[in-house]
């Protein structure tokens, strides 16, 4: 999941260093939002909402 996030950010034009940092941050924030019991399959449900909140300034 983390590698996929990083690759998506790279594909979107972000430089490698910032893509790695942003992917790690997004991964962690998605886990915080989900709470205890998170498994990898839960992350794809969290990331789009997190990205939407970031883009909207929430």
């Amino acid at each position: 999941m983390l590698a996929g996030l990083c690759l998506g950010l790279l594909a979107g034009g972000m430089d490698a260093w910032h893509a790695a940092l942003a992917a790690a941050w997004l991964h962690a924030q998605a886990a915080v939002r989900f709470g205890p019991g998170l498994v990898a399959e839960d992350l794809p449900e969290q990331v789009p909402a997190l990205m939407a909140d970031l883009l909207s300034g929430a």
Side-chain angles (χ1 to χ4, degrees):
M1 183 68 195
L2 183 56
L5 283 171
C6 190
L7 186 59
L9 295 169
L10 285 169
M14 193 176 281
D15 68 88
W17 175 249
H18 289 107
L21 293 175
W25 186 86
L26 285 166
H27 193 275
Q29 285 304 116
V32 168
R33 281 182 173 220
F34 187 86
L38 176 79
V39 294
E41 290 82 16
D42 298 323
L43 287 172
E45 299 171 6
Q46 299 298 315
V47 173
L50 179 58
M51 293 291 289
D53 287 349
L54 286 172
L55 293 173
S56 73

